[in-house]
mmCIF file with all atom_site columns, all heavy atoms in Angstrom:
data_model
loop_
_atom_site.group_PDB
_atom_site.id
_atom_site.type_symbol
_atom_site.label_atom_id
_atom_site.label_alt_id
_atom_site.label_comp_id
_atom_site.label_asym_id
_atom_site.label_entity_id
_atom_site.label_seq_id
_atom_site.pdbx_PDB_ins_code
_atom_site.Cartn_x
_atom_site.Cartn_y
_atom_site.Cartn_z
_atom_site.occupancy
_atom_site.B_iso_or_equiv
_atom_site.pdbx_formal_charge
_atom_site.auth_seq_id
_atom_site.auth_comp_id
_atom_site.auth_asym_id
_atom_site.auth_atom_id
_atom_site.pdbx_PDB_model_num
ATOM 1  N N   . ILE A 1 25  ? -71.885 -123.009 95.159 1.00 0.00 ? 25  ILE A N   1
ATOM 2  C CA  . ILE A 1 25  ? -70.990 -122.834 96.317 1.00 0.00 ? 25  ILE A CA  1
ATOM 3  C C   . ILE A 1 25  ? -69.564 -123.276 95.962 1.00 0.00 ? 25  ILE A C   1
ATOM 4  O O   . ILE A 1 25  ? -68.577 -122.614 96.303 1.00 0.00 ? 25  ILE A O   1
ATOM 5  C CB  . ILE A 1 25  ? -71.532 -123.592 97.556 1.00 0.00 ? 25  ILE A CB  1
ATOM 6  C CG1 . ILE A 1 25  ? -72.803 -122.887 98.066 1.00 0.00 ? 25  ILE A CG1 1
ATOM 7  C CG2 . ILE A 1 25  ? -70.478 -123.672 98.670 1.00 0.00 ? 25  ILE A CG2 1
ATOM 8  C CD1 . ILE A 1 25  ? -73.551 -123.631 99.171 1.00 0.00 ? 25  ILE A CD1 1
ATOM 9  N N   . ALA A 1 165 ? -61.705 -99.718  90.727 1.00 0.00 ? 165 ALA A N   1
ATOM 10 C CA  . ALA A 1 165 ? -62.053 -98.697  91.733 1.00 0.00 ? 165 ALA A CA  1
ATOM 11 C C   . ALA A 1 165 ? -61.677 -99.189  93.133 1.00 0.00 ? 165 ALA A C   1
ATOM 12 O O   . ALA A 1 165 ? -61.089 -98.447  93.932 1.00 0.00 ? 165 ALA A O   1
ATOM 13 C CB  . ALA A 1 165 ? -63.546 -98.394  91.662 1.00 0.00 ? 165 ALA A CB  1
ATOM 14 N N   . VAL A 1 242 ? -58.708 -90.229  94.199 1.00 0.00 ? 242 VAL A N   1
ATOM 15 C CA  . VAL A 1 242 ? -60.157 -90.371  94.412 1.00 0.00 ? 242 VAL A CA  1
ATOM 16 C C   . VAL A 1 242 ? -60.903 -90.053  93.120 1.00 0.00 ? 242 VAL A C   1
ATOM 17 O O   . VAL A 1 242 ? -61.833 -90.759  92.726 1.00 0.00 ? 242 VAL A O   1
ATOM 18 C CB  . VAL A 1 242 ? -60.649 -89.463  95.578 1.00 0.00 ? 242 VAL A CB  1
ATOM 19 C CG1 . VAL A 1 242 ? -62.180 -89.411  95.615 1.00 0.00 ? 242 VAL A CG1 1
ATOM 20 C CG2 . VAL A 1 242 ? -60.091 -89.950  96.905 1.00 0.00 ? 242 VAL A CG2 1
#
Side-chain angles (χ1 to χ4, degrees):
Chain A
I25 290 172
V242 169

